[in-house]
Amino acid sequence: MNTRKIKIVKTPKVVFALCMLILLGSAGCNNILDDVENLGQYPPDKVWGSEVLANAYLTDLYASTLPSWPVNSGVYVDECGPGVITTDFITSQNGTFKYWPYSTIRRINILFQEIENGTLEDDVRNTIKGQAYFLRAWHYFKMVSYYGGVPIIKEPQDLDVDLMVGRNTTAECFDFIIEDLDAAYQLLPSRFKNENFGRIDKAAVLAFKGRVLLHKASPQFNPSNPYDNSYWQEAYAANKTAKDELNNWGYRLADTYDAIFKEEQNDEVIMATVYVNPGKTNGRQEHGVRPLSESKNSTGLDQPIWSFVEAYPMVDGKKPGESANYSYDVQTYWQNRDPRFYATIAYNGALFELGAQAERRQYTTFDLVPSTLANVDDIFGEKQTFGRTGFYCRKGLEEELPATEVETNSTDWVEIRYAEVLLNFAEAANETNKSDEAIAVLKLIRKRAGIEEGADGMYGLSADMAREELRDAILAERRIEFAFEGKRFDDLRRTRRWHLLDGTRKYGLEAFVKDEYVDAEGNLTKTDLMPEDFTYTVREVINNIPEMVVPESYYFYPLRLSDLEKNPNLEQNAAWGGTFNPEL
């Protein structure tokens, strides 16, 4: 094995199969590592006495933990179509929103138990342990955000023994998560870069801790006292520390909104799942996000719905219809919008230069079929029989890829970026009566977005917002800033705002070529059609898709029935027929 491959094994960029070959000693692999005598057996003293093997074990834990691109997650909220949440979408019998990663937690606990008996150098051992503490905290936080309190397991159980313990309280679980994150912080370097980029460091720990404590303080866990509980001060302190320390370590907002995903390892990226070509590609599933005319095998993912398109401010930061500087009309909806709109939304007639096709425009209308300007699978309107909205998402795409190579997209998934740290801080600041600090963050985010400052220097914001108004403004900013990054669902859930979805339906925008560009025989007289060469009608995405129904019980999901049957010591959540209270 050459030096380059050894470096890959020691970082999260490793291909999962290579890890398993190292760890399990598959037949015919005697040349994988020159200094390994017998790949068929790896007793603990062998694994925990070798930096390469110990890091390979850790890499396998990364592969079982790190999230990937949240493709089509917006169908569960007011972001994309055509799917909806309805009654019985989540049950204790199905696998929807179920997460029970105790097999991975067992392997993390094995690491903690065995590494102390190994012969690794202290700095190597501590760095591995620090990352493992974070990974365990990650799994527990996801479970707690789903269910509330779950069993806390700190030591590995025997392979032939089921998990036969009861649930800890939600408060105990939050304490345990913070305990693991604090332990991780003590053992890790401030910031990993270059060949170690993608590994968990102090920066990721602090940013994630701020996210965890924001959830702990939230209305989801404190419905009887949602915004005046003592946890908000804790969340403020953690997010301020994260903001200040990350700033000291060189983190900042990327120069442009576009650069966040286009310029990998930029200074806004705090925690990322790394994709490389060849070896680990298509995390973005670009083949499904693109229109089929410029892709293969799939289409229809992450298609923005009309209400989301309308949510973007005007370029002066005011809501559509409320700007004194820029008029708004459905027939010219794309004009003078927040620059993040153009970085995220591909609309009818817009430049969408996929496959490096200069001046290529995207069309989504039946009027152009069978014209070469559009493909029947890319359209939206009355005649469609499948989910289209009239829009496409362009965030995270490698637009220069030809259709034949669309599945080689290797854009990293950025799970935590500096903008989230800032907005988490702003939210906690507002709830602890520090509105000036919260507004300063919103102005910074909008300035980077390219929104006009305005004569008052407020970037379209009101200077005298009350606490409730500023709360709404922060959540509205998060909706735009983190479009198609999987955060809208969590934001509505943790703030107990399902009522914004309940009873809603999903709409798209249908385009029709204006009469002056069609001759008496129905042929187009103009081929370079622009967005203004169409008229637009708001239309329901698919008429037989029901309206959204989001019960109160969905704020905490039910434990899966099969897990309850295996372990009689588990209690089901109270809203699902049990006795366990998942709230704080």
Side-chain angles (χ1 to χ4, degrees):
M1 184 176 186
N2 61 34
T3 302
R4 175 179 172 82
K5 289 185 178 178
I6 289 175
K7 287 183 178 180
I8 292 175
V9 168
K10 293 170 63 178
T11 73
K13 299 179 183 180
V14 67
V15 179
F16 177 77
L18 181 57
C19 276
M20 295 308 297
L21 289 173
I22 294 172
L23 292 170
L24 300 179
S26 297
C29 297
N30 292 332
N31 62 343
I32 291 180
L33 293 174
D34 294 336
D35 60 345
V36 175
E37 298 174 359
N38 183 1
L39 286 170
Q41 295 180 353
Y42 285 97
D45 61 337
K46 191 68 118 176
V47 174
W48 307 112
S50 165
E51 182 179 351
V52 170
L53 292 178
N55 272 296
Y57 187 100
L58 178 66
T59 296
D60 186 28
L61 296 177
Y62 268 94
S64 302
T65 304
L66 292 187
S68 59
W69 277 90
V71 179
N72 235 28
S73 65
V75 300
Y76 302 131
V77 287
D78 49 359
E79 193 168 69
C80 68
V84 296
I85 289 181
T86 60
T87 304
D88 294 331
F89 178 78
I90 300 171
T91 71
S92 61
Q93 288 82 18
N94 66 26
T96 306
F97 291 113
K98 304 298 186 296
Y99 191 71
W100 206 245
Y102 281 99
S103 61
T104 301
I105 289 172
R106 179 183 184 278
R107 289 187 286 128
I108 294 173
N109 289 337
I110 287 173
L111 181 152
F112 288 131
Q113 176 177 277
E114 298 294 342
I115 200 170
E116 298 301 333
N117 300 321
T119 58
L120 296 172
E121 296 291 332
D122 287 348
D123 61 335
V124 174
R125 180 175 63 250
N126 288 339
T127 302
I128 291 174
K129 286 175 60 179
Q131 293 168 81
Y133 276 122
F134 178 94
L135 298 180
R136 188 167 68 176
W138 180 274
H139 285 296
Y140 270 95
F141 174 67
K142 187 170 180 178
M143 284 195 290
V144 170
S145 69
Y146 274 27
Y147 310 117
V150 294
I152 295 176
I153 307 295
K154 298 183 180 181
E155 298 179 355
Q157 293 191 336
D158 294 335
L159 282 173
D160 57 350
V161 176
D162 291 331
L163 185 67
M164 298 295 288
V165 295
R167 298 172 69 173
N168 289 80
T169 67
T170 300
E172 289 171 338
C173 286
F174 271 116
D175 289 344
F176 177 57
I177 293 165
I178 298 304
E179 177 185 300
D180 268 4
L181 292 177
D182 288 345
Y185 180 84
Q186 295 300 320
L187 298 172
L188 293 171
S190 300
R191 182 176 183 180
F192 278 122
K193 289 185 177 182
N194 301 322
E195 72 272 10
N196 287 320
F197 175 77
R199 298 173 69 175
I200 299 301
D201 49 27
K202 273 183 167 63
V205 171
L206 288 181
F208 183 58
K209 182 177 179 180
R211 180 193 288 184
V212 169
L213 291 175
L214 194 73
H215 277 73
K216 181 182 178 182
S218 72
Q220 179 190 5
F221 289 96
N222 304 275
S224 62
N225 187 16
Y227 290 112
D228 293 308
N229 63 72
S230 61
Y231 303 129
W232 279 108
Q233 186 59 50
E234 188 180 15
Y236 172 80
N239 281 289
K240 186 177 190 306
T241 297
K243 177 178 71 70
D244 294 345
E245 287 296 324
L246 267 65
N247 185 59
N248 292 336
W249 296 333
Y251 288 95
R252 61 183 181 85
L253 293 176
D255 291 335
T256 65
Y257 188 70
D258 249 0
I260 298 166
F261 291 101
K262 291 185 180 297
E263 299 176 11
E264 294 186 345
Q265 301 191 35
N266 64 76
D267 287 334
E268 185 163 342
V269 179
I270 298 169
M271 176 182 170
T273 300
V274 176
Y275 289 88
V276 290
N277 182 23
K280 185 178 180 182
T281 60
N282 206 29
R284 181 65 179 102
Q285 296 186 39
E286 183 167 336
H287 67 294
V289 178
R290 284 189 181 203
L292 190 59
S293 57
E294 297 299 327
S295 185
K296 61 179 182 179
N297 303 328
S298 179
T299 188
L301 302 180
D302 279 355
Q303 293 206 350
I305 59 174
W306 175 241
S307 62
F308 178 69
V309 171
E310 278 207 303
Y312 278 84
M314 307 304 288
V315 70
D316 62 357
K318 297 296 185 180
K319 294 180 181 179
E322 297 182 8
S323 171
N325 302 309
Y326 302 102
S327 61
Y328 175 77
D329 187 271
V330 172
Q331 302 305 321
T332 55
Y333 69 91
W334 65 92
Q335 295 179 358
N336 304 311
R337 304 300 290 273
D338 177 338
R340 290 172 293 188
F341 172 90
Y342 306 104
T344 307
I345 309 294
Y347 51 93
N348 182 69
L351 282 174
F352 199 20
E353 298 175 321
L354 297 172
Q357 299 177 65
E359 303 301 314
R360 177 192 178 276
R361 292 186 178 275
Q362 181 65 48
Y363 298 102
T364 61
T365 171
F366 277 97
D367 287 356
L368 302 183
V369 177
S371 166
T372 57
L373 297 180
N375 182 288
V376 69
D377 294 303
D378 301 333
I379 56 184
F380 168 69
E382 184 178 8
K383 301 176 185 178
Q384 73 174 2
T385 59
F386 40 78
R388 297 290 178 268
T389 67
F391 301 97
Y392 287 89
C393 175
R394 60 196 317 163
K395 180 180 281 189
L397 302 189
E398 295 180 15
E399 296 183 11
E400 69 278 6
L401 291 174
T404 55
E405 299 176 17
V406 70
E407 292 177 341
T408 66
N409 179 306
S410 60
T411 301
D412 292 346
W413 162 239
V414 181
E415 173 62 31
I416 305 178
R417 53 187 178 93
Y418 192 58
E420 182 191 343
V421 173
L422 291 177
L423 286 166
N424 289 351
F425 168 74
E427 195 168 334
N430 182 53
E431 303 306 343
T432 51
N433 300 311
K434 301 175 182 66
S435 60
D436 288 349
E437 295 180 25
I439 290 174
V441 166
L442 291 182
K443 289 166 66 176
L444 190 62
I445 295 290
R446 288 187 160 208
K447 179 179 180 180
R448 189 276 293 278
I451 288 177
E452 295 171 350
E453 182 176 4
D456 59 359
M458 292 299 294
Y459 296 90
L461 300 165
S462 299
D464 56 350
M465 286 182 282
R467 183 185 182 192
E468 293 77 11
E469 293 175 297
L470 184 50
R471 182 184 303 147
D472 291 343
I474 293 169
L475 288 172
E477 200 68 34
R478 290 178 67 95
R479 184 182 185 188
I480 299 304
E481 177 69 20
F482 301 128
F484 296 97
E485 296 180 39
K487 290 181 170 56
R488 177 65 171 171
F489 184 88
D490 285 343
D491 284 348
L492 291 177
R493 187 163 170 261
R494 68 180 174 80
T495 58
R496 287 188 174 258
R497 293 188 173 214
W498 280 149
H499 61 275
L500 297 179
L501 303 179
D502 214 31
T504 61
R505 304 182 78 92
K506 295 193 172 182
Y507 295 85
L509 195 67
E510 185 173 11
F512 303 89
V513 179
K514 289 181 177 178
D515 292 342
E516 58 260 43
Y517 303 118
V518 181
D519 64 21
E521 286 74 37
N523 298 311
L524 292 174
T525 59
K526 181 181 181 182
T527 56
D528 57 337
L529 293 165
M530 305 295 284
E532 58 268 25
D533 296 331
F534 297 79
T535 58
Y536 298 94
T537 300
V538 177
R539 181 185 296 280
E540 196 162 359
V541 173
I542 299 180
N543 292 332
N544 62 357
I545 294 291
E547 66 183 20
M548 297 278 271
V549 179
V550 193
E552 285 280 319
S553 59
Y554 285 8
Y555 285 121
F556 289 100
Y557 307 136
L559 270 62
R560 195 165 188 168
L561 183 60
S562 58
D563 291 316
L564 293 170
E565 291 172 343
K566 291 176 185 176
N567 180 6
N569 295 309
L570 292 176
E571 302 173 62
Q572 182 61 279
N573 281 333
W576 297 90
T579 58
F580 189 87
N581 180 8
E583 300 167 2
L584 289 169

mmCIF file of all heavy atoms in Angstrom, residues 288-304:
data_model
loop_
_atom_site.group_PDB
_atom_site.id
_atom_site.type_symbol
_atom_site.label_atom_id
_atom_site.label_comp_id
_atom_site.label_asym_id
_atom_site.label_seq_id
_atom_site.Cartn_x
_atom_site.Cartn_y
_atom_site.Cartn_z
ATOM 1 N N GLY A 288 -31.133 12.993 -9.910
ATOM 2 C CA GLY A 288 -32.542 13.131 -9.600
ATOM 3 C C GLY A 288 -32.992 14.568 -9.463
ATOM 4 O O GLY A 288 -34.176 14.873 -9.604
ATOM 5 N N VAL A 289 -32.054 15.463 -9.174
ATOM 6 C CA VAL A 289 -32.387 16.874 -8.977
ATOM 7 C C VAL A 289 -32.490 17.608 -10.315
ATOM 8 O O VAL A 289 -33.315 18.499 -10.483
ATOM 9 C CB VAL A 289 -31.342 17.538 -8.063
ATOM 10 C CG1 VAL A 289 -31.640 19.027 -7.883
ATOM 11 C CG2 VAL A 289 -31.306 16.842 -6.704
ATOM 12 N N ARG A 290 -31.660 17.214 -11.265
ATOM 13 C CA ARG A 290 -31.708 17.852 -12.588
ATOM 14 C C ARG A 290 -32.996 17.496 -13.343
ATOM 15 O O ARG A 290 -33.604 16.469 -13.075
ATOM 16 C CB ARG A 290 -30.542 17.363 -13.434
ATOM 17 C CG ARG A 290 -29.185 17.927 -13.119
ATOM 18 C CD ARG A 290 -28.237 17.490 -14.199
ATOM 19 N NE ARG A 290 -26.876 17.951 -13.990
ATOM 20 C CZ ARG A 290 -25.988 18.085 -14.970
ATOM 21 N NH1 ARG A 290 -26.331 17.782 -16.215
ATOM 22 N NH2 ARG A 290 -24.763 18.495 -14.721
ATOM 23 N N PRO A 291 -33.341 18.319 -14.335
ATOM 24 C CA PRO A 291 -34.386 17.900 -15.280
ATOM 25 C C PRO A 291 -33.902 16.691 -16.069
ATOM 26 O O PRO A 291 -32.701 16.556 -16.347
ATOM 27 C CB PRO A 291 -34.567 19.129 -16.175
ATOM 28 C CG PRO A 291 -33.286 19.879 -16.048
ATOM 29 C CD PRO A 291 -32.811 19.656 -14.650
ATOM 30 N N LEU A 292 -34.804 15.820 -16.431
ATOM 31 C CA LEU A 292 -34.435 14.579 -17.094
ATOM 32 C C LEU A 292 -33.765 14.819 -18.438
ATOM 33 O O LEU A 292 -32.931 14.021 -18.879
ATOM 34 C CB LEU A 292 -35.658 13.685 -17.268
ATOM 35 C CG LEU A 292 -35.389 12.248 -17.727
ATOM 36 C CD1 LEU A 292 -34.487 11.524 -16.735
ATOM 37 C CD2 LEU A 292 -36.700 11.491 -17.900
ATOM 38 N N SER A 293 -34.072 15.920 -19.080
ATOM 39 C CA SER A 293 -33.454 16.214 -20.376
ATOM 40 C C SER A 293 -31.947 16.393 -20.266
ATOM 41 O O SER A 293 -31.236 16.274 -21.261
ATOM 42 C CB SER A 293 -34.071 17.480 -20.983
ATOM 43 O OG SER A 293 -33.929 18.571 -20.093
ATOM 44 N N GLU A 294 -31.455 16.650 -19.066
ATOM 45 C CA GLU A 294 -30.018 16.821 -18.855
ATOM 46 C C GLU A 294 -29.504 15.858 -17.796
ATOM 47 O O GLU A 294 -28.513 16.136 -17.110
ATOM 48 C CB GLU A 294 -29.703 18.261 -18.453
ATOM 49 C CG GLU A 294 -30.037 19.284 -19.505
ATOM 50 C CD GLU A 294 -29.260 19.061 -20.805
ATOM 51 O OE1 GLU A 294 -28.101 18.589 -20.724
ATOM 52 O OE2 GLU A 294 -29.808 19.352 -21.886
ATOM 53 N N SER A 295 -30.185 14.731 -17.650
ATOM 54 C CA SER A 295 -29.782 13.748 -16.656
ATOM 55 C C SER A 295 -30.055 12.357 -17.187
ATOM 56 O O SER A 295 -30.196 12.155 -18.401
ATOM 57 C CB SER A 295 -30.531 13.998 -15.338
ATOM 58 O OG SER A 295 -30.072 13.140 -14.327
ATOM 59 N N LYS A 296 -30.156 11.390 -16.270
ATOM 60 C CA LYS A 296 -30.511 10.033 -16.686
ATOM 61 C C LYS A 296 -31.122 9.301 -15.504
ATOM 62 O O LYS A 296 -30.772 9.530 -14.350
ATOM 63 C CB LYS A 296 -29.289 9.275 -17.195
ATOM 64 C CG LYS A 296 -28.167 9.100 -16.173
ATOM 65 C CD LYS A 296 -27.005 8.307 -16.761
ATOM 66 C CE LYS A 296 -25.912 8.086 -15.731
ATOM 67 N NZ LYS A 296 -24.793 7.292 -16.277
ATOM 68 N N ASN A 297 -32.069 8.457 -15.795
ATOM 69 C CA ASN A 297 -32.643 7.502 -14.848
ATOM 70 C C ASN A 297 -33.586 8.088 -13.809
ATOM 71 O O ASN A 297 -34.362 7.352 -13.211
ATOM 72 C CB ASN A 297 -31.550 6.723 -14.111
ATOM 73 C CG ASN A 297 -30.625 5.992 -15.054
ATOM 74 O OD1 ASN A 297 -31.039 5.554 -16.129
ATOM 75 N ND2 ASN A 297 -29.360 5.862 -14.671
ATOM 76 N N SER A 298 -33.538 9.383 -13.564
ATOM 77 C CA SER A 298 -34.356 9.912 -12.477
ATOM 78 C C SER A 298 -34.508 11.411 -12.632
ATOM 79 O O SER A 298 -33.677 12.078 -13.241
ATOM 80 C CB SER A 298 -33.701 9.595 -11.124
ATOM 81 O OG SER A 298 -34.459 10.123 -10.055
ATOM 82 N N THR A 299 -35.575 11.936 -12.056
ATOM 83 C CA THR A 299 -35.770 13.386 -11.990
ATOM 84 C C THR A 299 -36.869 13.653 -10.962
ATOM 85 O O THR A 299 -37.497 12.738 -10.453
ATOM 86 C CB THR A 299 -36.156 13.972 -13.360
ATOM 87 O OG1 THR A 299 -36.147 15.411 -13.273
ATOM 88 C CG2 THR A 299 -37.529 13.536 -13.800
ATOM 89 N N GLY A 300 -37.101 14.910 -10.642
ATOM 90 C CA GLY A 300 -38.210 15.272 -9.774
ATOM 91 C C GLY A 300 -37.863 15.536 -8.330
ATOM 92 O O GLY A 300 -38.737 15.883 -7.540
ATOM 93 N N LEU A 301 -36.577 15.407 -7.931
ATOM 94 C CA LEU A 301 -36.201 15.655 -6.543
ATOM 95 C C LEU A 301 -35.981 17.139 -6.297
ATOM 96 O O LEU A 301 -35.556 17.878 -7.177
ATOM 97 C CB LEU A 301 -34.927 14.887 -6.192
ATOM 98 C CG LEU A 301 -34.950 13.369 -6.368
ATOM 99 C CD1 LEU A 301 -33.598 12.772 -5.981
ATOM 100 C CD2 LEU A 301 -36.069 12.738 -5.557
ATOM 101 N N ASP A 302 -36.269 17.574 -5.064
ATOM 102 C CA ASP A 302 -35.974 18.939 -4.616
ATOM 103 C C ASP A 302 -36.576 20.011 -5.513
ATOM 104 O O ASP A 302 -35.942 21.037 -5.788
ATOM 105 C CB ASP A 302 -34.458 19.154 -4.515
ATOM 106 C CG ASP A 302 -33.875 18.594 -3.232
ATOM 107 O OD1 ASP A 302 -34.646 18.135 -2.380
ATOM 108 O OD2 ASP A 302 -32.638 18.599 -3.089
ATOM 109 N N GLN A 303 -37.806 19.821 -5.973
ATOM 110 C CA GLN A 303 -38.435 20.831 -6.814
ATOM 111 C C GLN A 303 -39.181 21.853 -5.954
ATOM 112 O O GLN A 303 -40.147 21.517 -5.253
ATOM 113 C CB GLN A 303 -39.401 20.163 -7.797
ATOM 114 C CG GLN A 303 -38.698 19.294 -8.818
ATOM 115 C CD GLN A 303 -39.490 19.149 -10.102
ATOM 116 O OE1 GLN A 303 -40.643 19.528 -10.204
ATOM 117 N NE2 GLN A 303 -38.844 18.590 -11.104
ATOM 118 N N PRO A 304 -38.743 23.113 -5.977
ATOM 119 C CA PRO A 304 -39.369 24.138 -5.147
ATOM 120 C C PRO A 304 -40.852 24.316 -5.469
ATOM 121 O O PRO A 304 -41.247 24.276 -6.635
ATOM 122 C CB PRO A 304 -38.586 25.410 -5.502
ATOM 123 C CG PRO A 304 -37.300 24.915 -6.098
ATOM 124 C CD PRO A 304 -37.630 23.636 -6.789
#
